């Protein structure tokens, strides 16, 4: 287990359908810490989670909190090895925080999502992985282009400012031949837009293709580059549905 690994929890408001970052889970070598973020305090109608009712308190546990444990696939399930392969994680890397960050920790019974922020090291370098969104809505020609993708293939990321559903949306486009193949996850759009403001600080590519995986785990993308002096505050913002 890593000494310090942080993932964030986003909550979707049921009526407005906008997403708020409401909490952070910190995975230490010997314990877990959860605290609410400013998004939980500012979001209308947000209700604290059971057993963690105080929005201004840090919660500490030797065991993973049930809120997050219930979002993990049991290692006893026969599909668990395939699941790790789809996520691009080795057994040694498969800590709860890493699994939640890659998988999103989504459940059909609620409106919560787990994600990891873009982390820039002291030298300015960053590397971040995400699954391509929107595969279920592609045209037949775009689906054919997805089927032809190869690991390592270069991608372009483009702003979709005229998107009537999400003005912050970021399109993912394949090259040679060019074809729109999906979108960045909404939680990542703000960071990608900030990176795209500066030339030559972002490279995007296909990390892996898992033809046997569900659509939400089929195409893993990677962004990396050097972005000195850029700071991402993901504890206090919204992203739209």
């Amino acid at each position: 287990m890593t000494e310090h690994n942080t993932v964030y929890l986003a909550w979707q408001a049921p009526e407005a359908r906008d997403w708020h970052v409401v909490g952070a889970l910190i995975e230490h070598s010997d314990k877990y810490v959860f605290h609410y973020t400013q998004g939980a305090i500012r979001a209308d109608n947000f209700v604290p989670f059971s057993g963690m009712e105080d929005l201004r308190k840090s919660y500490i546990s030797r065991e993973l909190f049930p809120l997050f444990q219930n979002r993990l696939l049991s290692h006893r399930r026969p599909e668990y090895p395939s699941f790790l392969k789809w996520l691009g994680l080795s057994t040694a890397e498969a800590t709860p925080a890493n699994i939640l960050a890659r998988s999103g920790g989504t459940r059909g019974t609620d409106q919560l999502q787990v994600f990891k922020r873009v982390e820039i090291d002291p030298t300015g370098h960053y590397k971040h992985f995400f699954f391509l969104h929107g595969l279920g809505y592609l045209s037949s020609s775009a689906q054919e282009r997805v089927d032809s993708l190869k690991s390592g293939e270069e991608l372009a990321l483009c702003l979709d400012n005229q998107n009537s559903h999400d003005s912050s949306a970021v399109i993912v486009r394949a090259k040679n031949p060019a074809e729109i193949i999906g979108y960045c996850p909404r939680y990542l759009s703000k960071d990608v837009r900030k990176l795209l403001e500066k030339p030559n600080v972002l490279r995007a590519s296909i990390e892996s293709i898992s033809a046997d995986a569900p659509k939400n785990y089929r195409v893993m993308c990677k962004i990396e580059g050097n972005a000195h002096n850029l700071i991402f505050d993901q504890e206090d913002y919204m992203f739209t549905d």
Side-chain angles (χ1 to χ4, degrees):
M1 184 179 291
T2 56
E3 182 64 23
H4 182 104
N5 193 5
T6 302
V7 293
Y8 291 87
L9 182 65
W11 167 78
Q12 186 181 41
E15 295 183 7
R17 306 290 293 173
D18 50 1
W19 288 85
H20 302 256
V21 178
V22 296
L25 174 71
I26 305 170
E27 179 187 66
H28 292 272
S29 59
D30 59 349
K31 63 186 176 183
Y32 297 92
V33 179
F34 175 81
H35 67 82
Y36 291 100
T37 63
Q38 289 299 314
I41 297 171
R42 297 178 181 177
D44 294 333
N45 302 319
F46 174 72
V47 178
F49 304 113
S50 177
M52 297 185 288
E53 285 80 10
D54 189 343
L55 293 179
R56 301 186 183 278
K57 178 181 176 180
S58 289
Y59 298 87
I60 302 173
S61 174
R62 297 289 183 183
E63 305 294 330
L64 186 62
F65 301 99
L67 173 66
F68 297 97
Q69 183 64 50
N70 293 336
R71 297 169 190 282
L72 294 173
L73 181 70
S74 170
H75 68 274
R76 298 184 180 90
R77 295 281 293 270
E79 66 270 31
Y80 185 76
S82 294
F83 181 63
L84 291 189
K85 179 177 71 70
W86 299 337
L87 299 183
L89 295 174
S90 66
T91 303
E93 295 171 323
T95 69
N98 284 338
I99 292 175
L100 289 166
R102 289 283 177 93
S103 69
T106 55
R107 298 175 62 190
T109 55
D110 61 25
Q111 296 296 316
L112 297 172
Q113 181 178 356
V114 182
F115 69 96
K116 194 172 184 66
R117 66 185 180 184
V118 174
E119 296 180 337
I120 299 176
D121 71 20
T123 69
H125 183 263
Y126 67 91
K127 181 166 61 175
H128 190 89
F129 301 93
F130 66 89
F131 285 101
L132 196 61
H133 281 208
L135 291 179
Y137 302 97
L138 297 179
S139 65
S140 57
S141 64
Q143 187 60 63
E144 290 176 4
R145 185 67 183 89
V146 169
D147 292 341
S148 72
L149 291 171
K150 306 295 182 186
S151 296
E153 189 169 335
E154 187 178 357
L155 300 170
L157 302 183
C158 314
L159 305 185
D160 191 13
N161 293 327
Q162 293 182 316
N163 188 312
S164 59
H165 299 290
D166 180 8
S167 60
S168 297
V170 176
I171 291 170
V172 179
R173 179 171 60 81
K175 300 182 177 182
N176 304 318
E179 184 86 44
I180 293 174
I181 56 172
Y183 285 84
C184 282
R186 289 182 176 89
Y187 72 81
L188 192 59
S189 295
K190 182 179 180 181
D191 291 352
V192 169
R193 282 176 164 263
K194 180 175 266 189
L195 290 166
L196 290 174
E197 289 175 0
K198 294 191 175 184
N200 304 317
V201 301
L202 183 150
R203 298 185 301 276
S205 62
I206 297 292
E207 175 67 12
S208 63
I209 307 289
S210 299
D212 61 333
K215 280 188 172 63
N216 52 323
Y217 299 137
R218 189 162 297 171
V219 181
M220 183 186 291
C221 304
K222 177 175 69 175
I223 58 172
E224 61 181 333
N226 222 279
H228 246 329
N229 301 321
L230 281 180
I231 299 175
F232 302 123
D233 179 11
Q234 291 180 298
E235 294 199 15
D236 184 21
Y237 78 98
M238 302 188 313
F239 51 101
T240 58
D241 181 34

